Amino acid sequence: MRPGFNICLSMSVLILFMLPESSHAAHFIFGTNQPVIDGTGNASAVHPGDTIYLSASSRLYVLLRRLHGTADKPILVQNLGGQVAFTNNPSYGVKFDTCSWVRMIGKGTASDSGFFISNTNAGITIGGLSTCIEVAGFEIYNTTWTGIVAKTDPDCSLKSVRSNYIMRNISIHDNYIHGTANEGMYIGNSFWSGYTLHCNGKDTMVLPHLIRGLKIYNNHVENTQWDGIQVSCADSGCYLNNNFVYLDSQAQVTDQMSGFLLGGGSSCNCFANFIKDGKGDGIDELGQGGNFIYNNLIVNPGQNFTGTTGKHGIFVGTQAPASGRGYNLVFNTIVSPRTNGIDFRSTAAVNSMAYDNIIANPGGSYIKPAAGVSLAQQSNLQVPDTATVKFIDPIHDNYDLRPSSPAVNTGSAVPGFPLHSDIISRWRPWPWKYDIGAFECHDASLLSVNETEKTPGFQIMYCFIRSGVMKVSLNLQSREFLSADIYSLQGQHVANLCNAVKGPGTLELEKFIGSVEETCYICIFHYAGDAISKKIYSYSSH
């Protein structure tokens, strides 16, 4: 078994020490005189599960090379004793080269990030056939190219072409990126369909590698000259969520103007993002389809653009998605787009949906499908001004709904996509039906509406709580999916009773939910496309 510490005598390159909370993994400190940390050289003693520390300092860059953890024991790279700043390097601040299962996580304070990068070409580069990389806790500012780039472009070695290499499990979260000369993030190669290289005296068509397993979340991306976040070639396991993108596309470069660009070859679920005041489209969808774009708040896309072309809340291009696929645009709130709320141009897409979107005050159309487009539309709230929606406080970016909003309890369930939360992770639908748009109103006054105890095909025989045990008896006419959830009168989710296909006939449900503090609760059932609510009273066993 490896000891908890070793001694490395290489010109003070590597000082290894033991932290009191660990008795297994080793911990290393690299000084400022070692910008390259090489798993086959000066970091050969670093094994899976170990931690590399960079002491608080100012440096030009760090190159992490040939470091390999494992899925259950990744190598951790962190700052120690304060912020580490990488500044004024003409190439990059941090680079991963031939690494796998490495997590570089900055530990910051309320005022400073753990890692700071400025005045470089790229902030962070994940390349050299690296895979399974996580980066978080960075501030990246004033780059001459991009904030974070993740890809290995094909060359004449053909090591990184699609048939030979897949980048996997990339996680980018909790970073602040601002002032980039191009994209805030540039993830995956833009040329999904391939391009030609001249190798060994002849032209060779190459296809760039795929990315499988991509998570980009909780990032703040601001004041980018090109797209805020661009993702291409991410064909599965791609999630872009809970990011704030502000002031994208400031250079107004054609084809480089969006808050999010879902590029060629991608199929990314894009949800719970706030995109505001960019000069480009809110979201550009140019990928393979089969994904959902939902619960996004998009405000003023393209309003400050000084050109003459249209800028839209969500734009779906003319590309053909993968066979049998479409694009699903549901539960988004789009406010004051320069041109159209949704502009949809892919005539080859099938089974596409635009459901439950709020589109307020567009400069052009609410939803504009091109000739020949097949796009199912349902329960969209389309109004010429924002006041009609009854947002709580849009001047201060609060686009939650007042209980009197026409969007409240007027939405529809999306076929094949049971959605259980809104943009800020509140339960939906609440209390009975879905609200339209990204926000689900949880105002307690909504619970004063008369309850519904019976609907065609569904009857509640009894429903009560006694001594912490909930008991329900239902009569179901057909075999359908049934969900049953208990809430307090303040809207807090207490327990789930059922999420399964049930019926026909009598169904008895019983669940111990523990001690209950109130005498009255609400149980909400969803069955066969209907929502039914029932007040539940709690009794003691006496």
Side-chain angles (χ1 to χ4, degrees):
M1 186 174 71
R2 297 183 63 224
F5 62 91
N6 290 306
I7 298 176
C8 178
L9 302 176
S10 176
M11 300 175 58
S12 299
V13 170
L14 200 57
I15 303 173
L16 186 147
F17 69 102
M18 186 67 219
L19 290 185
E21 66 266 22
S22 173
S23 60
H24 300 288
H27 304 264
F28 301 79
I29 297 178
F30 278 79
T32 57
N33 62 334
Q34 284 297 305
V36 178
I37 302 175
D38 192 331
T40 60
N42 61 356
S44 59
V46 177
H47 292 173
D50 289 347
T51 299
I52 292 170
Y53 284 105
L54 305 180
S55 55
S57 58
S58 181
R59 309 170 184 229
L60 279 177
Y61 67 94
V62 66
L63 169 59
L64 305 174
R65 175 178 287 163
R66 292 187 283 266
L67 295 172
H68 298 288
T70 62
D72 59 337
K73 292 184 177 181
I75 293 171
L76 177 63
V77 182
Q78 284 193 322
N79 58 303
L80 180 67
Q83 187 179 78
V84 177
F86 305 98
T87 60
N88 301 316
N89 183 41
S91 184
Y92 56 83
V94 173
K95 183 174 182 179
F96 294 84
D97 180 18
T98 322
C99 293
S100 63
W101 295 111
V102 178
R103 306 173 66 228
M104 190 167 186
I105 312 293
K107 296 181 68 175
T109 66
S111 58
D112 290 313
S113 60
F115 294 114
F116 175 71
I117 300 173
S118 68
N119 301 319
T120 62
N121 183 38
I124 300 173
T125 296
I126 303 172
L129 303 176
S130 292
T131 191
C132 304
I133 303 296
E134 179 181 0
V135 291
F138 282 81
E139 178 181 356
I140 301 173
Y141 169 67
N142 195 32
T143 65
T144 57
W145 181 29
T146 186
I148 299 176
V149 57
K151 61 191 179 85
T152 301
D153 291 331
D155 59 21
C156 290
S157 73
L158 304 183
K159 291 181 179 179
S160 66
V161 298
R162 192 169 300 167
S163 58
N164 292 335
Y165 165 67
I166 297 174
M167 177 180 278
R168 298 183 185 273
N169 301 320
I170 302 298
S171 178
I172 301 169
H173 62 93
D174 296 286
N175 302 291
Y176 176 33
I177 301 171
H178 55 124
T180 62
N182 289 172
E183 298 90 353
M185 296 186 199
Y186 184 2
I187 312 300
N189 191 290
S190 299
F191 297 94
W192 157 253
S193 298
Y195 53 93
T196 299
L197 295 177
H198 192 71
C199 300
N200 301 318
K202 63 179 182 179
D203 289 339
T204 302
M205 170 62 73
V206 294
L207 297 175
H209 67 78
L210 301 174
I211 302 176
R212 290 181 174 166
L214 174 65
K215 296 180 180 179
I216 298 177
Y217 62 96
N218 290 352
N219 299 284
H220 180 152
V221 178
E222 179 175 336
N223 193 25
T224 62
Q225 298 302 296
W226 291 10
D227 307 281
I229 298 175
Q230 173 181 313
V231 175
S232 302
C233 294
D235 71 334
S236 62
C238 177
Y239 302 95
L240 317 175
N241 60 282
N242 297 93
N243 301 284
F244 177 43
V245 177
Y246 178 55
L247 296 174
D248 64 79
S249 314
Q250 296 301 294
Q252 302 189 166
V253 176
T254 301
D255 298 328
Q256 306 287 351
M257 297 187 67
S258 66
F260 283 83
L261 173 58
L262 312 184
S266 288
S267 182
C268 299
N269 280 356
C270 183
F271 59 99
N273 300 290
F274 182 15
I275 307 161
K276 181 184 177 185
D277 290 345
K279 291 188 176 183
D281 301 325
I283 299 173
D284 279 351
E285 172 59 89
L286 307 177
Q288 292 195 87
N291 57 318
F292 283 83
I293 297 174
Y294 66 99
N295 278 356
N296 296 289
L297 172 61
I298 304 170
V299 177
N300 300 329
Q303 282 291 354
N304 297 317
F305 175 53
T306 60
T308 58
T309 56
K311 298 299 170 191
H312 316 290
I314 300 175
F315 174 78
V316 179
T318 60
Q319 74 283 346
S323 178
R325 290 185 179 181
Y327 303 98
N328 304 292
L329 319 175
V330 299
F331 291 104
N332 300 288
T333 296
I334 302 171
V335 179
S336 300
R338 174 185 175 90
T339 314
N340 303 323
I342 295 173
D343 191 295
F344 199 109
R345 303 187 184 184
S346 177
T347 57
V350 297
N351 302 317
S352 295
M353 294 185 291
Y355 277 40
D356 299 292
N357 299 287
I358 292 176
I359 302 173
N361 189 37
S365 301
Y366 296 104
I367 300 176
K368 186 176 182 181
V373 162
S374 175
L375 177 65
Q377 302 181 41
Q378 184 169 311
S379 301
N380 296 295
L381 178 61
Q382 304 173 67
V383 294
D385 59 80
T386 58
T388 301
V389 184
K390 297 185 179 179
F391 296 122
I392 288 180
D393 187 8
I395 293 177
H396 297 99
D397 289 337
N398 186 348
Y399 290 88
D400 201 353
L401 301 171
R402 299 182 184 276
S404 58
S405 169
V408 170
N409 286 335
T410 55
S412 301
V414 176
F417 188 62
L419 185 59
H420 297 305
S421 63
D422 72 354
I423 187 173
I424 54 176
S425 299
R426 294 177 304 193
W427 188 265
R428 74 187 318 173
W430 168 259
W432 300 283
K433 292 187 177 181
Y434 284 102
D435 295 351
I436 300 172
F439 292 88
E440 188 80 10
C441 180
H442 273 236
D443 193 283
S445 66
L446 295 173
L447 291 170
S448 64
V449 179
N450 292 333
E451 56 185 318
T452 302
E453 296 191 17
K454 186 175 180 180
T455 192
F458 181 102
Q459 185 175 8
I460 302 171
M461 309 304 292
Y462 61 76
C463 184
F464 63 85
I465 300 172
R466 175 167 289 165
S467 300
V469 177
M470 173 151 182
K471 294 187 177 182
V472 178
S473 178
L474 306 173
N475 186 14
L476 307 178
Q477 181 175 321
S478 59
R479 186 168 177 79
E480 304 281 355
F481 183 84
L482 170 71
S483 69
D485 293 274
I486 309 169
Y487 296 87
S488 71
L489 294 181
Q490 291 72 41
Q492 181 180 1
H493 186 248
V494 176
N496 173 261
L497 296 177
C498 182
N499 269 312
V501 175
K502 298 291 184 180
T506 300
L507 174 66
E508 307 284 343
L509 297 174
E510 181 175 313
K511 184 169 185 176
F512 178 72
I513 62 174
S515 61
V516 291
E517 299 178 357
E518 302 179 37
T519 59
C520 185
Y521 292 82
I522 297 290
C523 190
I524 300 178
F525 303 90
H526 289 92
Y527 173 79
D530 286 319
I532 305 95
S533 68
K534 173 70 176 175
K535 288 182 181 178
I536 316 166
Y537 292 93
S538 175
Y539 305 94
S540 68
S541 58
H542 302 293

